[in-house]
Amino acid sequence: MTIEAKLNELATRKAKALGMGGAEKLANRRAEGNLNARERIDALLDAGSYVESGLYATSHIQEVREKTPADGKIAGYGKIDGRSAAVVSNDMTVMGASSSVVNGKKIRHMREVASKNGMPLIFLGESTGARMPDRMGAQGRAILGQDPAEYQRLRQSPWVSALLGSCYGSSTWYACMSDFVVMRKGAQMAVASSRVTSMAINQPVDAEELGGWKLHCETTGLADLAVDSDEQAIAAIKRFLSYLPSHHNEPSPEHDVSAGADENSKKILDIVPADGSKVYDVRKVVATIADPGSVFETKARFGKSLSTSLIRLQGRTVGILANNPMFKGGAIDVDACNKAISFLVLCDSFNIPIVFLVDQPGFLIGLEGERRAAPSKIINWMNALSLVTVPKISVIMRKSYGQAYLNMGGGRNSDEVICWPTADLGFMAPEVSVNVLYGVKKEEDPARYAELLQQVTRDTSAWNLAALYETHDVIDPRDTRSCLVSMLDVHRKRMGSEVGRHLLSNWPTSY
Amino acid sequence: MADTKVVSEVTGSVWKVLVAVGDSVEADSPVVLIESMKMEIPVLAPDSGVVTEILVATGDPISEGQAVIALKT
């Protein structure tokens, strides 16, 4: 065969592979308003930067080679906003992007290259699960489990998942190991499809109820964000990655600071009422502290009494954990505990300093919390916090009661503790503590109640904490931003090149 | 149009009912204030809609998950 003939064969094979599952299936996707797997890669990566790995891979089963271009999972490398990344994009037009021997090898290679060379790895998920009949019978079992590290997560580089359609099998498993998960409304993520589940339990199952965005954004917390389209999902991935380093041995990227930051921070007194019985939305406080336009909230619909967000302060990424009195009065429930832990893991793994904004009446006590193992969540959080090696600053804005005082960075659990003059520190609300400690009720002995209330209230002020040097400063709330900028500079890990020890790198982020 | 029951996320007592039958409410706007943990904690409408029924009165004890108003969304 001449070289021309060989080049012609290459061109033919390339065109066939790039044709994915065929024109008809691709047209159907387009008609449904879905991008195909290659269009998704194009939208994600900088123009002209994509290099594919495994374009000519197919099923290992001879009879289906012709109908398995790229074996249904398209993999490669490229740039996102100029930074290198690896990507796996599931091609539903090729045997439902089902998991096979060969495409499993492709994913493995992407994982290894991304980890070894320090690149984020992005999974564009939409898959039907294990490929049949490949995995049936004992012979099918024998092709599984050939990579003992398949489900190992050590967070050497960030992983991101987008759930963009029906996600069963690998798209689900990798989402549960990812640092950020965005879900398109209408997509589903579950162990098995509603059809299979319905047959297994012999009753109708609604796909949306089984694995829709509301379930995962509001109840399980397995998804961080819900969006309306593929394009929005891809924009969210890019935005998330803009806050993270490419790998764990690198500080987070620096960005320009937009104008107006210092003026914004003066609005803080209009947001937070001095009266602790009045609530407010702490996300407005976060917005006044952050560089303008830089707030990226994660899991906004889950565990809402604690808001977690990536922000920039003077151009540098910071992770904020803020109690939100607008929801459950800021009382910390089991979902909020799980959310806090997963956020600590994210920040510590990728060298992102942590700031606590504290205004909480304690953990939410009650039967529901105990049934869901609340004590273990509280202590897992403390264990995680004690293993964090990035800088930690705690700002006590108003209430900080009970054990949660420690979980939110009180005492030596932060590098620096700052109080506002409105800080209120105690084991419980002063009004409650008069009842609990002295057995005096307001309606029975108002004079004695008032006297004791004054006593316990005075004892909970920021000044007593400051006198004992358990808070390092008491500041005007309007100076919070400038104080954090200074303190994060003081606590920079200069000798470690701003890189932590990553003792949480193999903690799970889903619970 | 769907009927939605708006529920309290916390246990406490009703401090104020902020809406009346027939009122239009926006998503995330407060409809009832619950007094709990010495705070006035709002119950927020999950979606925008029209109030069809008030299910509680000032001073009523409230459990977590209890409906406070009904909305046509």
Side-chain angles (χ1 to χ4, degrees):
Chain A
M1 196 186 268
T2 63
I3 185 65
E4 286 76 17
K6 289 204 178 277
L7 290 174
N8 283 340
E9 184 188 4
L10 174 65
T12 306
R13 284 179 180 269
K14 186 172 187 176
K16 159 88 176 144
L18 291 174
M20 301 190 273
E24 189 183 339
K25 286 182 180 172
L26 292 172
N28 288 343
R29 285 189 70 84
R30 202 166 300 120
E32 290 164 0
N34 297 319
L35 296 182
N36 68 47
R38 291 188 180 279
E39 288 168 341
R40 285 171 178 165
I41 291 176
D42 290 345
L44 176 71
L45 299 178
D46 297 351
S49 71
Y50 179 55
V51 183
E52 187 151 341
S53 176
L55 176 63
Y56 305 104
T58 65
S59 169
H60 72 294
I61 296 174
Q62 190 67 39
E63 297 77 48
V64 292
R65 279 195 172 174
E66 284 301 306
K67 55 186 276 199
T68 50
D71 207 19
K73 293 188 194 287
I74 299 167
Y77 319 100
K79 306 268 186 192
I80 297 175
D81 295 331
R83 297 160 67 202
S84 295
V87 60
V88 175
S89 184
N90 286 268
D91 182 0
M92 280 291 275
T93 68
V94 173
M95 299 192 82
S98 50
S99 295
S100 73
V101 171
V102 174
N103 66 29
K105 288 168 71 177
K106 294 175 77 173
I107 293 179
R108 179 179 180 172
H109 190 59
M110 291 299 112
R111 276 201 334 261
E112 288 174 352
V113 172
S115 295
K116 195 169 61 181
N117 300 331
M119 293 189 273
L121 175 54
I122 296 103
F123 298 95
L124 300 174
E126 190 178 12
S127 57
T128 52
R131 185 173 297 169
M132 298 300 170
D134 303 22
R135 296 199 173 182
M136 294 178 80
Q139 197 176 356
R141 301 289 88 187
I143 60 174
L144 292 172
Q146 299 306 300
D147 173 12
E150 187 171 3
Y151 303 118
Q152 183 185 79
R153 186 72 224 279
L154 295 174
R155 290 191 185 79
Q156 290 108 326
S157 71
W159 286 11
V160 175
S161 277
L163 303 168
L164 300 173
S166 298
C167 292
Y168 308 108
S170 72
S171 299
T172 290
W173 309 144
Y174 284 107
C176 294
M177 290 190 282
S178 288
D179 302 300
F180 177 73
V181 178
V182 57
M183 188 164 189
R184 202 186 70 188
K185 291 177 184 174
Q188 286 98 34
M189 172 169 77
V191 178
S193 72
S194 55
R195 194 173 71 87
V196 171
T197 306
S198 170
M199 286 189 288
I201 63 174
N202 199 25
Q203 55 182 280
V205 173
D206 177 68
E208 202 61 26
E209 197 181 343
L210 183 74
W213 69 272
K214 282 202 171 185
L215 178 79
H216 290 307
C217 289
E218 296 175 0
T219 305
T220 69
L222 293 178
D224 290 276
L225 176 69
V227 295
D228 293 314
S229 66
D230 287 358
E231 289 85 351
Q232 287 176 8
I234 283 162
I237 292 170
K238 290 183 182 181
R239 179 126 197 250
F240 173 76
L241 289 174
S242 77
Y243 292 87
L244 268 75
S246 294
H247 57 81
H248 66 160
N249 286 327
E250 184 179 87
S252 58
E254 256 188 285
H255 288 250
D256 295 336
V257 186
S258 24
D262 294 324
E263 293 75 59
N264 270 352
S265 65
K266 305 301 173 207
K267 296 174 189 160
I268 216 159
L269 293 182
D270 301 330
I271 299 166
V272 184
D275 177 355
S277 71
K278 308 288 184 197
V279 302
Y280 59 94
D281 193 333
V282 79
R283 292 173 294 190
K284 294 179 182 168
V285 176
V286 175
T288 66
I289 292 170
D291 294 354
S294 75
V295 180
F296 187 73
E297 192 178 10
T298 57
K299 300 193 200 303
R301 291 171 169 268
F302 177 73
K304 293 189 287 188
S305 64
L306 182 92
S307 172
T308 53
S309 32
L310 295 169
I311 68 161
R312 293 195 181 92
L313 259 183
Q314 287 296 100
R316 298 297 300 271
T317 306
V318 174
I320 303 272
L321 293 95
N323 307 117
N324 197 348
M326 185 59 86
F327 302 101
K328 301 189 178 183
I332 303 168
D333 59 11
V334 166
D335 287 350
C337 286
N338 287 337
K339 182 175 173 179
I341 297 166
S342 72
F343 196 69
L344 293 177
V345 168
L346 171 72
C347 292
D348 190 66
S349 297
F350 294 111
N351 313 315
I352 298 171
I354 292 165
V355 169
F356 296 95
L357 296 178
V358 188
D359 187 357
Q360 53 78 21
F363 288 104
L364 188 68
I365 53 175
L367 295 178
E368 172 67 10
E370 302 300 335
R371 288 189 185 115
R372 295 186 60 202
S376 69
K377 311 296 179 186
I378 292 165
I379 290 308
N380 284 348
W381 177 344
M382 286 308 300
N383 189 12
L385 185 58
S386 73
L387 294 169
V388 163
T389 57
V390 294
K392 293 172 285 186
I393 313 288
S394 187
V395 180
I396 304 175
M397 303 185 295
R398 298 199 311 181
K399 287 192 249 329
S400 190
Y401 294 164
Q403 161 70 34
Y405 166 75
L406 303 177
N407 290 63
M408 291 301 291
R412 298 299 303 277
N413 294 295
S414 294
D415 296 304
E416 208 80 29
V417 177
I418 308 296
C419 279
W420 289 3
T422 43
D424 172 12
L425 302 129
F427 197 76
M428 57 184 77
E431 293 85 349
V432 178
S433 61
V434 172
N435 293 342
V436 172
L437 295 177
Y438 302 104
V440 176
K441 292 182 179 168
K442 189 178 183 181
E443 54 274 24
E444 288 168 1
D445 189 348
R448 177 82 178 129
Y449 178 86
E451 183 190 325
L452 290 169
L453 182 62
Q454 192 184 11
Q455 186 181 320
V456 295
T457 301
R458 192 180 62 227
D459 284 345
T460 65
S461 74
W463 307 114
N464 276 332
L465 207 63
L468 297 166
Y469 195 51
E470 284 297 314
T471 181
H472 301 101
D473 201 0
V474 182
I475 63 166
D476 182 327
R478 290 168 292 192
D479 297 334
T480 304
R481 176 183 159 86
S482 56
C483 173
L484 287 173
V485 170
S486 304
M487 282 303 137
L488 288 169
D489 186 56
V490 167
H491 289 283
R492 273 169 52 204
K493 305 290 179 193
R494 291 174 184 77
M495 291 192 287
S497 304
E498 303 194 46
V499 169
R501 293 170 59 201
H502 312 128
L503 301 177
L504 295 168
S505 66
N506 64 343
W507 271 50
T509 49
S510 47
Y511 300 91
Chain B
M1 299 287 272
D3 292 310
T4 302
K5 292 273 198 291
V6 182
V7 300
S8 172
E9 289 188 315
V10 291
T11 298
S13 61
V14 176
W15 175 247
K16 277 178 192 161
V17 178
L18 304 172
V19 294
V21 171
D23 284 359
S24 293
V25 297
E26 297 295 316
D28 292 330
S29 62
V31 293
V32 168
L33 290 179
I34 305 293
E35 187 182 20
S36 177
M37 298 175 280
K38 300 295 171 190
M39 281 180 281
E40 298 162 18
I41 300 172
V43 180
L44 305 176
D47 292 300
S48 53
V50 175
V51 179
T52 54
E53 202 178 353
I54 306 290
L55 302 166
V56 292
T58 301
D60 283 357
I62 288 285
S63 305
E64 181 185 338
Q66 185 178 335
V68 294
I69 67 160
L71 273 185
K72 184 79 82 179
T73 56

